[in-house]
Amino acid sequence: MSARDKAISSTLGYALLGLLAREERSGYDLTQALKNPVGYFWFAQHSQVYPELARLETAGLVAHTLIEQADRPDKKVYRLTDMGRAALSAWLNADTELPRKRDELVLKAYSIWLADPAAAARMMREHAQTHAAHLAEFQSGLSNLEGEAGAALWQPDSPWFGVHAVLRRGIGYEREYSEWCEWLAQCLEGTEKGSP
Amino acid sequence: MSARDKAISSTLGYALLGLLAREERSGYDLTQALKNPVGYFWFAQHSQVYPELARLETAGLVAHTLIEQADRPDKKVYRLTDMGRAALSAWLNADTELPRKRDELVLKAYSIWLADPAAAARMMREHAQTHAAHLAEFQSGLSNLEGEAGAALWQPDSPWFGVHAVLRRGIGYEREYSEWCEWLAQCLEGTEKGSP
DNA sequence: TCGCCCATGTAAGCCGTTACATGATTTA
DNA sequence: TAAATCATGTAACGGCTTACATGGGCGA
């Protein structure tokens, strides 16, 4: 097991296994999938995906079939093996370390007393809008999901439930972030909000 | 300017400048400071701090004085130069890229339909408690700050305002995170919450 | 025709973590 | 006696980003 564990270098491996647990995909498809809902909380470039897939295959956690295509480049479609599914389960049960956050905007907020208040307020308003836009995307994503998945959205053994959970997190995160930006902007403009 | 910009390799440099804008500190002190409130959204080890300080000094953004101590090791106390303050201001006005989030727990949530619901619920409850504990810390941090800073907390040109802003962000973040964990735990236990 | 989509890879370099290295003083 | 605090560095390694490399089909 110790030799096998080393096969999965980083968390990215489990991200890929989690995607393959739902359906077979090529490296290209996996890279695309790492943008929508999963990708809101884990991201990777294709240059990271292809080598990782090779490592996973060496470890016996995934296997691929070459699909020859006429009008497009050939592709390798990967699927999860039994060992891969077991590895994914083991990871799910293992302890999860807290993520260390690195957020440049919050870091700027720490030094915002040195900035021009009006300009800073404008900046925070822009970010509030950006996060509000993300929020709206997630919310419409959830709406679509309700249409597609129906009651399965609430069944803990349904793959839709996983998407649901991630979307809810995204919604909460973006809402909070947007509100914080708005709050800061108002403070900077002198129209304080919130009790002292 | 282009040659000068290269002096600050990463965001860490600005984090250090932001700390030094408040008071002079040694590399050791800076590393410690990168744990409380700033450090909730930016972190670094001392092995990263010392070389970065050297780079900042070469660029003329900080300067140091050697303080000889009898019962403790000598130390270099760094202070911000005028150029450093200007660089910090320029950074504050510059565009801020959105942080790409990487959160292993949310990634697990995506695959949680493959896990044992009871065990998964227990895990989410634990994380809910962890984040609730962080929330409580931030809230008491804000209380203390109110005692220390008073009205300055709400003055956009006061250094306390920066701490205030970061703490508010931490409070919102941890509250939302904790609530999400709790929501997920309840879903997994079958006692659904929230309208379908 | 210019650029995007599909599709898979390799290579260079940076940022950050962990570990190595040293050493006196205080506290449990 | 063991461990933590203060204090400053260097070195190895790994993950991630950016860029290099190739190439046909399709839409604006």
Side-chain angles (χ1 to χ4, degrees), chain B residues 2-117:
Chain B
S2 56
R4 206 146 280 160
D5 278 352
K6 290 178 76 176
I8 295 198
S9 55
S10 64
T11 313
L12 174 61
Y14 296 106
L16 299 178
L17 295 184
L19 283 163
L20 293 176
R22 289 153 187 269
E23 54 173 326
E24 303 185 342
R25 289 177 225 239
S26 67
Y28 183 89
D29 293 335
L30 286 164
T31 306
Q32 299 307 115
L34 279 175
K35 287 169 187 164
N36 291 302
V38 213
Y40 303 137
F41 293 94
W42 209 272
F43 183 76
Q45 309 287 341
H46 74 271
S47 59
Q48 229 188 323
V49 170
Y50 291 118
E52 184 65 32
L53 279 171
R55 256 172 267 139
L56 293 173
E57 187 152 42
T58 304
L61 306 181
V62 302
H64 82 265
T65 310
L66 187 70
I67 306 289
E68 291 178 40
Q69 297 182 120
D71 54 342
R72 291 178 182 182
D74 297 350
K75 61 177 175 180
K76 298 178 180 176
V77 172
Y78 287 85
R79 65 186 170 279
L80 202 59
T81 64
D82 289 341
M83 270 176 61
R85 192 169 293 263
L88 188 56
S89 273
W91 170 69
L92 285 172
N93 286 325
D95 285 346
T96 311
E97 278 176 62
L98 291 178
R100 342 143 188 304
K101 316 170 268 292
R102 283 203 166 88
D103 190 319
E104 198 173 353
L105 191 67
V106 184
L107 191 62
K108 283 191 179 181
Y110 186 70
S111 295
I112 212 164
W113 56 287
L114 291 164
D116 170 59

Side-chain angles (χ1 to χ4, degrees), chain A residues 26-28 31 45-55 78:
Chain A
S26 67
Y28 183 89
T31 306
Q45 310 286 342
H46 75 269
S47 59
Q48 227 187 326
V49 171
Y50 291 119
E52 184 65 33
L53 280 170
R55 258 173 265 139
Y78 287 86

